[in-house]
Amino acid sequence: MIHLKDAHIRFICGSQHLYGPGPLKVVAENAQQVAAALDGIASNPLPIKDGGVVTTRDEIEAALRDASSDDRCAGVIVWMHTFSPSKMWIRGLRDYRKPLLHLHTQANRDLPWDTIDMDFMNLNQAAHGDREFASLLTRMRRNRKSVVGHWSDEEVQNEIVTWVRAARAQHDLHGASFARFGDNMRHVGVTEGDKVAAEIRLGVSVEGYGLADLMEHVNAVSPAQVDALVDEYQGAYDVASELQPGGAQAGALRDGAAIELGLRSFLEAGGFKGFTTTFENLAGLKQLPGLAVQRLMADGYGFGAEGDWKTAVLLRGLKVAAEGMPGGTSFMEDYTYHLEPGRHRVLGSHMLEVCPSIAAERPRLEVHPLGIGDREDPVRLVFDAPAGDAINVSIMDLGNRLRLLVNEVEAVEVPDLPNLPVARALWECKPDFKTALKAWLEAGGAHHTVYSYDVKTALVEDLAHMLGIECVVIDANTDFRSFRSELQQSDAAYGSVDA
C-alpha cells in the first residue's frame, strides 16, 4: 500500500485513586492483559498500545492530550475497569478530537459465585463505571463507538477490529492530497462537490493540474524504463498476441507503459494518495489511461473517473481500511441492467478503470477501440469479478452535507461476454432489485461507486461516524417506506437546503 502512514491505537483504562495501591496494581495488570489480547488479534491491522491507568483529572487530560498530539495515534480505546467519576474526564475529552471506542467489558468473564465479596464488587464494577463514562460522552455530544461484551469474545474482537480499520482509514485521509487532471466531465452534477467543505470534514485536499504537468513526467520516461515495465506486464498478465513484441499493437502497450510510468512519477513526486482523469481532457496523451489507472489502484491509489474526486477519496479510504484482506476493492459504475423477471441483476463496469484486486482469475491484457476521447486505442486489463458478498458504496455532496450510501449485494458468476472488452462484475441487490434501486434513487446515490468484497457495512458506518457525515444503508432488511422516512428525518436533523 503506497504512502501508508505509521499508526497505532491507544488503550486507556479509567479508575480512581480512592481504591489504593493494591487494587490499582490489579487494575493495571488487567488493563495490560486486555490491551495485549486486543493487540494480538490476528486480523487487527494496527498495534494497540497500553496507555496505562488514569485516576485523576490531570492524568486523564495528559493521556488524551498526548494521544491527540501524537501524529501516529489513530484513535483511543477507553475502558472503565472500576468506577471513574466522569467529571474527571471533562477537561481531557473537551479537546480530544480523534476516533474514540468505548469498550464496555470487564476483566473477568464469569462471576466467582462461591467467593464473590464486596472487594471483588468494588474492583470489577465496569457495569457501574462505564455507564457513568457513557453518560458524560452523551452529554458532551461526543461521537464514539460502543462495544459491549467480554474482551475475549470473537464477536467483540471483530467489532473492535472493524473500528480499528475505519480509524486507520480516517487517519490516512487526514492531510492527504489528491491530484485532479483536468476538470469535471462537462455538465455532470453528481461528480461535482465543495472541495473546501470536504477538506474541513474529510481532511483531504484536492489539487487541480493541467495535462501539461503530467506530460512533463510522461515525456521524461526512458525507453529502458518502458522495456522493463513491458517485461513486467508479460509476467503478470495474459498478454494478447497483438500486444506482444513485434505484434501489430505493440506500440500501444509501450504508450500505455509510458503513461503509467509518468503518472506514477507525478503522484510519487507530489506525495498524492489518489487522482482523477477525464476523457474530455487528454491533451498530449496518446490514449486514455486505462491499464495505468488499474495498476495504480491495485497499489492503493484512490481514483475517480471524469473528475470524480469524492469517489477517489472514498476509494483510498476503503482500500486503506481493507489493507491485508484478500477480496479486493475497486472503483465501479452501475452500468446496465438485466431485467429478466425474477433474475434482476446489475452489470457493473467502466470504460477501462476497474481495479484488478477484484479479479477472479489472472487478468488478460488487451487493446480495443474506445469510441470516445478521440485518441488511439487504449490498453486495459479484462477480467471477471468473482461471486460472493460485496457492498457498493456511493458518496454524494447534498449541498449542506456529505452522504455515504451503502447497498449490500450478492455478486454472481459473470456469463461469457466475448464482445465486452472491459473488466466487469455482476450482482443482485439486497433486499431485491426494485426496492434497492428505488431506495438508491431516493437517496440521490451516484453512478460512480466503490465496490468491495472486503469492507463490510459496519466499517463504512464507523468511518462515517468518525468523519461526522451521514450514512444510510440498503440491505436485506430495507423497507422502502421506512427508508424514505429515515431520509426525511436526516434532512430534518441536518437542515435541508434548496439547490
Side-chain angles (χ1 to χ4, degrees):
M1 175 70 69
I2 53 92
H3 302 315
L4 191 58
K5 285 183 176 180
D6 179 35
H8 66 263
I9 301 294
R10 300 278 181 91
F11 184 90
I12 298 175
C13 180
S15 187
Q16 59 180 335
H17 66 88
L18 295 179
Y19 294 108
L24 286 178
K25 180 181 179 182
V26 176
V27 169
E29 291 171 349
N30 289 341
Q32 290 169 3
Q33 180 186 15
V34 175
L38 300 183
D39 181 62
I41 300 171
S43 58
N44 176 36
L46 293 180
I48 295 178
K49 299 185 176 182
D50 178 27
V53 178
V54 290
T55 61
T56 67
R57 277 189 172 93
D58 290 342
E59 289 176 354
I60 292 168
E61 186 174 18
L64 291 178
R65 185 192 306 115
D66 185 63
S68 294
S69 62
D70 187 346
D71 290 338
R72 297 164 299 176
C73 180
V76 169
I77 298 173
V78 177
W79 166 46
M80 302 300 126
H81 188 303
T82 62
F83 189 72
S84 179
S86 64
K87 286 178 64 178
M88 297 195 305
W89 288 84
I90 292 175
R91 288 200 327 236
L93 289 170
R94 186 178 54 202
D95 298 324
Y96 178 77
R97 290 294 178 266
K98 290 184 177 180
L100 180 69
L101 185 146
H102 180 199
L103 178 57
H104 187 35
T105 190
Q106 58 189 31
N108 57 296
R109 192 193 70 176
D110 303 329
L111 287 177
W113 303 108
D114 293 336
T115 60
I116 190 170
D117 56 18
M118 283 309 300
D119 287 338
F120 182 94
M121 296 279 278
N122 286 331
L123 185 62
N124 298 281
Q125 55 173 310
H128 186 188
D130 278 328
R131 292 174 194 237
E132 167 81 355
F133 181 65
S135 179
L136 177 70
L137 292 175
T138 297
R139 177 162 182 174
M140 294 183 70
R141 309 296 192 268
R142 293 308 313 272
N143 281 353
R144 77 276 193 182
K145 168 101 171 176
S146 299
V147 176
V148 178
H150 195 257
W151 50 270
S152 66
D153 290 349
E154 183 178 1
E155 182 180 2
V156 168
Q157 294 186 354
N158 287 341
E159 285 189 69
I160 293 171
V161 168
T162 295
W163 176 86
V164 171
R165 288 188 174 277
R168 189 185 201 188
Q170 192 269 351
H171 181 258
D172 178 81
L173 289 176
H174 184 75
S177 296
F178 290 74
R180 199 178 191 215
F181 296 111
D183 201 356
N184 194 62
M185 182 179 174
R186 300 178 192 119
H187 311 302
V188 176
V190 74
T191 50
E192 289 280 17
D194 185 338
K195 292 188 281 292
V196 175
E199 184 161 0
I200 293 171
R201 180 58 65 190
L202 304 178
V204 303
S205 62
V206 182
E207 314 297 341
Y209 294 90
L211 264 292
D213 299 305
L214 174 59
M215 288 308 302
E216 288 183 10
H217 288 258
V218 175
N219 292 333
V221 172
S222 70
Q225 290 176 294
V226 172
D227 290 341
L229 188 52
V230 169
D231 286 343
E232 183 179 329
Y233 295 158
Q234 297 287 343
Y237 315 114
D238 293 334
V239 181
S241 59
E242 60 268 28
L243 295 177
Q244 298 283 353
Q249 291 273 40
L253 185 56
R254 294 185 65 82
D255 291 338
I259 291 172
E260 178 185 336
L261 290 163
L263 254 175
R264 195 177 292 276
S265 171
F266 183 96
L267 296 171
E268 288 177 351
F272 295 104
K273 295 186 176 181
F275 64 103
T276 70
T277 62
T278 173
F279 63 83
E280 290 182 322
N281 191 343
L282 297 174
L285 290 175
K286 291 185 177 182
Q287 55 182 258
L288 177 65
L291 174 63
V293 172
Q294 291 177 295
R295 284 172 52 84
L296 287 164
M297 281 193 288
D299 288 341
Y301 284 99
F303 172 76
E306 292 106 38
D308 188 356
W309 56 269
K310 298 191 301 300
T311 301
V313 172
L314 178 61
L315 177 59
R316 169 65 183 190
L318 296 189
K319 275 188 170 289
V320 170
E323 169 70 4
M325 302 177 76
T329 301
S330 177
F331 173 77
M332 187 59 72
E333 179 172 284
D334 301 63
Y335 224 106
T336 191
Y337 300 138
H338 178 71
L339 297 178
E340 176 186 352
R343 297 182 72 231
H344 293 96
R345 291 173 174 176
V346 178
L347 181 60
S349 185
H350 206 257
M351 296 181 297
L352 303 173
E353 308 97 338
V354 176
C355 179
S357 68
I358 66 168
E361 298 179 351
R362 180 178 165 101
R364 180 172 172 81
L365 182 51
E366 301 179 6
V367 59
H368 299 275
L370 188 59
I372 59 175
D374 192 28
R375 287 294 183 273
E376 298 176 9
D377 299 348
V379 291
R380 81 291 299 269
L381 296 174
V382 178
F383 55 84
D384 295 332
D389 290 330
I391 62 170
N392 211 26
V393 189
S394 174
I395 184 169
M396 306 88 74
D397 188 332
L398 300 183
N400 65 331
R401 67 188 187 275
L402 292 170
R403 168 181 285 167
L404 284 174
L405 173 62
V406 182
N407 186 198
E408 297 182 356
V409 304
E410 178 68 26
V412 299
E413 184 176 347
V414 181
D416 188 31
L417 300 171
N419 297 314
L420 186 63
V422 291
R424 54 275 175 128
L426 185 66
W427 64 82
E428 297 175 351
C429 301
K430 295 179 182 179
D432 59 77
F433 179 86
K434 291 185 178 181
T435 301
L437 269 295
K438 284 176 64 177
W440 189 277
L441 297 174
E442 189 79 10
H447 56 282
H448 287 167
T449 63
V450 174
Y451 177 85
S452 180
Y453 292 94
D454 292 326
V455 177
K456 304 304 179 187
T457 299
L459 192 153
V460 181
E461 291 177 312
D462 282 351
L463 180 58
H465 202 53
M466 291 173 187
L467 296 170
I469 62 178
E470 180 187 8
C471 182
V472 289
V473 177
I474 306 167
D475 60 14
N477 298 315
T478 295
D479 169 80
F480 179 71
R481 287 179 177 172
S482 299
F483 184 85
R484 183 164 54 186
S485 176
E486 178 186 348
L487 296 180
Q488 292 169 344
Q489 293 172 24
S490 291
D491 284 340
Y494 284 94
S496 59
V497 295
D498 294 331

